[in-house]
Amino acid sequence: ILDLANVSWCHSNAWSPSIAKKGSTYYFYFTACGQIGVATSSSPTGPFTDALGQPLVGSNQYGVYSIDPAVFIDSNGQPYLLFGNGGARLGALNADMTSFNGTPVNITPSGASYREAPYMFERNGTYYLTWSEDDTRNATYHVSYASASSITGPFAAASGNPILSENTSLG
């Protein structure tokens, strides 16, 4: 749905996309070359076109490795972008969905062994943040979560973590 040959600032290493629709436009956030880009299309199946001609989040910008974008639209309609390896960042997106309204903030849960892949949802006024710990190639890899009453935290790790881990009895 996005051909990196048409992305001027990177032609390789794309992964971990996220997509959202606003109005009649789909916004596709993607990792490429250790940076985060945003592309647009009128269809969720593309083709998508790089919206900025440069990354939305540059390499190691905001104090984390710039990967794993996850778009979240709050119940009030405010869009956010979560991202980061080595720490979770949350940036409020402007109405254009291609720029930040202010500087992304650190929402890494205190005391957590946070690695990457932040994802957020809200239920009954509580915000839930999930993330990966350790490396997917290791038996100790798992997914944990935390909750907060505010989108910016502070996030408290939940009892019963992790929510996903290897089961060696399954091979």
Side-chain angles (χ1 to χ4, degrees), residues 109 111-117 130-146 157 161-165:
S113 295
Y114 178 94
R115 180 179 174 110
E116 62 189 7
T130 68
W131 67 91
S132 295
E133 294 187 16
D134 210 341
D135 189 293
T136 58
R137 297 166 287 198
N138 296 339
T140 55
Y141 171 82
H142 57 280
V143 176
S144 294
Y145 80 102
N161 270 339
I163 59 173
L164 175 71
S165 61

Side-chain angles (χ1 to χ4, degrees), residues 72-76 120-129 146-155:
F72 171 76
I73 300 177
D74 205 350
S75 57
N76 64 6
M120 184 179 288
F121 65 95
E122 181 269 337
R123 182 174 184 268
N124 296 330
T126 299
Y127 294 89
Y128 295 90
L129 175 68
S147 60
S149 59
S150 166
I151 193 164
T152 56
F155 283 88

Side-chain angles (χ1 to χ4, degrees), residues 51-72:
L52 300 174
Q54 64 185 19
L56 170 62
V57 181
S59 181
N60 297 309
Q61 193 173 2
Y62 308 113
V64 296
Y65 187 46
S66 305
I67 63 169
D68 296 345
V71 65
F72 171 76

Side-chain angles (χ1 to χ4, degrees), residues 2-15 30-33:
L2 173 67
D3 186 346
L4 284 183
N6 299 321
V7 175
S8 63
W9 50 272
C10 180
H11 301 299
S12 64
N13 301 329
W15 72 91
F30 61 97
T31 298
C33 298

Side-chain angles (χ1 to χ4, degrees), residues 2 6-7 9 25-28 30 37-41 48-54 96-98:
L2 173 67
N6 299 321
V7 175
W9 50 272
T25 303
Y26 291 87
Y27 296 86
F28 183 74
F30 61 97
V38 58
T40 58
S41 177
F48 279 84
T49 304
D50 182 17
L52 300 174
Q54 64 185 19
D96 64 10
M97 301 286 284
T98 63

